[in-house]
């Protein structure tokens, strides 16, 4: 988890993350925050207690998410367990339906061949109502490296950053969208299932890697537009090569140097900053086209 939080800190610094422990009772160690150092420090406070109650854990997650974000914001849930259900196994037979769009990742710190097939079947039944996956460490023995690898595999597969080129005429900036549309798009498949309280009849293809401004509108015209998803547009120097370098450093247990990146970002003029300031001064929104009959709006708000 320390490695996973370091990955998020570098790739998704604006994302809110919360951490809780679960057994017969659940405890929120860290409420939703963008302070990844606080998340890392709280890992030392985790202790093994009495038993594993996955149904109770999911119900506590529902309570926390609904209270903080409501039922319409897509969520990523990572549930880490040793897969041992404990003495009160009947509670796991109660399937929990999640009222908000989400993708549930279950990371089992256990050798797959040695895990009880009954426990695995019960876990699969429990999460059957959500878009989800179950991930095991590779190899015949559990090691610190194999556990690190499984969390990096999770990060690279389901927490991919989205980079694009924001252009307007000859002006351009390398930007990232937060949260990544790659992550929010994955929720579409479960948005039409009965247990969710909304249905999205539209689909959208791949987001373009070049986002071109095609016009401007007064902000009063679009006071409350219907939207598919919302994202922050931020400057970034992170690309495929730098992402691979970050993952390599995490695999080797090293800290990536940020000094050169910070200097280049400060000294380099940013078209995104110029556009943000112009939209705010002129009370305008910029219109961008993402695909056929699909448009986006850039606002300074």
């Amino acid at each position: 988890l320390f490695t996973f939080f370091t990955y998020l800190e570098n790739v998704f610094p604006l994302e809110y993350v919360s951490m809780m422990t679960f057994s017969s009772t659940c405890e929120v160690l860290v409420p939703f925050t963008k302070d990844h150092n606080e998340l890392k420090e709280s890992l030392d406070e985790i202790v093994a207690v009495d038993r594993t109650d996955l149904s109770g854990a999911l119900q506590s997650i529902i309570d926390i998410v609904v209270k903080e974000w409501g039922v319409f914001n897509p969520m990523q849930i990572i549930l880490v367990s040793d897969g041992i259900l404990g003495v009160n196994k009947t509670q796991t037979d109660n399937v929990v339906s999640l009222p908000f769009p989400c993708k549930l990742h279950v990371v089992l710190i256990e050798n797959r061949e040695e895990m009880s097939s009954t426990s695995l079947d019960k876990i699969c039944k429990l999460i059957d109502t959500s878009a989800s996956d179950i991930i095991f460490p590779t190899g015949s023995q559990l090691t610190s490296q194999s556990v690190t690898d499984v969390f990096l595999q999770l990060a690279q597969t389901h927490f991919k950053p989205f980079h694009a080129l924001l252009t307007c005429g000859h002006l351009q900036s390398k930007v990232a969208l937060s949260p990544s549309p790659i992550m929010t798009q994955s929720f579409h498949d479960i948005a039409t299932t009965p247990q969710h309280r909304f249905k999205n009849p539209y689909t959208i293809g791949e987001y373009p890697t070049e986002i071109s401004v095609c016009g401007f509108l007064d902000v009063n015209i679009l006071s409350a537009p219907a939207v598919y998803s919302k994202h922050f547009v931020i400057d970034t120097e992170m690309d495929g090569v730098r992402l691979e370098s970050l993952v390599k450093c995490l695999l080797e247990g090293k800290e990536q140097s940020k000094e050169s990146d910070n200097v280049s970002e400060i000294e380099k003029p940013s078209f995104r900053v110029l556009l943000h300031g112009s939209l705010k001064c002129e009370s305008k929104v910029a219109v961008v086209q993402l695909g056929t009959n699909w448009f986006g709006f850039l606002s300074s708000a």
Side-chain angles (χ1 to χ4, degrees):
L1 280 174
F2 187 93
T3 301
F4 182 76
F5 289 148
T6 303
Y7 177 92
L8 291 184
E9 182 180 14
N10 285 271
V11 180
F12 296 107
L14 297 180
E15 288 299 299
Y16 284 90
V17 184
S18 177
M19 184 165 65
M20 62 176 289
T21 58
F22 64 94
S23 57
S24 55
T25 60
C26 298
E27 178 186 0
V28 178
L29 292 181
V30 182
F32 281 100
T33 180
K34 292 187 285 187
D35 186 351
H36 293 85
N37 287 327
E38 183 181 0
L39 291 164
K40 294 176 185 178
E41 292 172 359
S42 67
L43 292 174
D44 295 331
E45 302 175 15
I46 297 177
V47 294
V49 195
D50 49 3
R51 60 182 172 83
T52 299
D53 182 3
L54 297 182
S55 296
L58 290 177
Q59 188 57 57
S60 295
I61 290 172
I62 291 173
D63 296 339
I64 295 170
V65 171
V66 171
K67 180 180 179 180
E68 186 77 21
W69 305 104
V71 297
F72 295 106
N73 288 317
M75 295 287 162
Q76 296 264 15
I77 300 173
I78 302 174
L79 196 152
V80 183
S81 172
D82 59 5
I84 302 175
L85 300 182
V87 295
N88 194 357
K89 298 181 181 181
T90 56
Q91 291 192 17
T92 314
D93 294 331
N94 301 323
V95 177
V96 179
S97 295
L98 302 172
F100 45 82
C102 77
K103 191 166 181 65
L104 175 62
H105 315 282
V106 179
V107 180
L108 296 178
I109 310 301
E110 176 62 277
N111 187 293
R112 183 161 193 156
E113 287 72 22
E114 296 178 1
M115 184 173 179
S116 166
S117 59
T118 303
S119 296
L120 185 58
D121 289 343
K122 287 182 177 292
I123 293 173
C124 291
K125 181 180 178 181
L126 173 72
I127 66 175
D128 189 50
T129 58
S130 293
S132 56
D133 55 359
I134 298 178
I135 307 173
F136 290 87
T138 58
S140 57
Q141 292 184 340
L142 282 178
T143 64
S144 176
Q145 187 61 51
S146 66
V147 175
T148 297
D149 290 346
V150 79
F151 281 103
L152 280 179
Q153 174 192 343
L154 172 67
Q156 290 179 280
T157 304
H158 298 287
F159 293 82
K160 294 180 181 178
F162 179 83
H163 303 119
L165 192 65
L166 177 63
T167 65
C168 182
H170 66 280
L171 300 174
Q172 61 183 31
S173 269
K174 291 181 179 179
V175 297
L177 302 188
S178 181
S180 168
I182 299 174
M183 293 161 57
T184 56
Q185 275 184 286
S186 66
F187 301 110
H188 177 74
D189 293 336
I190 64 171
T192 57
T193 52
Q195 71 270 18
H196 295 292
R197 295 192 287 169
F198 66 95
K199 182 176 181 180
N200 187 348
Y202 303 104
T203 58
I204 186 171
E206 292 292 329
Y207 275 68
T209 54
E210 181 175 338
I211 302 175
S212 300
V213 176
C214 58
F216 299 90
L217 292 173
D218 289 331
V219 69
N220 294 332
I221 297 177
L222 294 170
S223 58
V227 297
Y228 180 82
S229 63
K230 294 182 180 180
H231 310 270
F232 287 105
V233 181
I234 56 178
D235 288 319
T236 182
E237 291 297 322
M238 179 74 72
D239 53 20
V241 175
R242 298 193 180 203
L243 183 62
E244 289 181 6
S245 175
L246 169 64
V247 172
K248 183 178 179 181
C249 288
L250 293 177
L251 283 171
E252 297 175 353
K254 300 178 181 178
E255 290 289 337
Q256 189 182 44
S257 174
K258 298 182 179 179
E259 183 177 352
S260 60
D261 290 348
N262 292 338
V263 172
S264 63
E265 289 175 6
I266 293 173
E267 294 179 349
K268 186 176 180 180
S270 170
F271 164 59
R272 184 204 62 82
V273 175
L274 173 65
L275 179 62
H276 178 274
S278 301
L279 294 177
K280 187 173 183 178
C281 290
E282 299 296 328
S283 298
K284 299 280 188 180
V285 294
V287 182
V288 296
Q289 185 164 11
L290 303 175
T292 305
N293 295 327
W294 274 99
F295 295 88
F297 302 100
L298 301 180
S299 169
S300 62

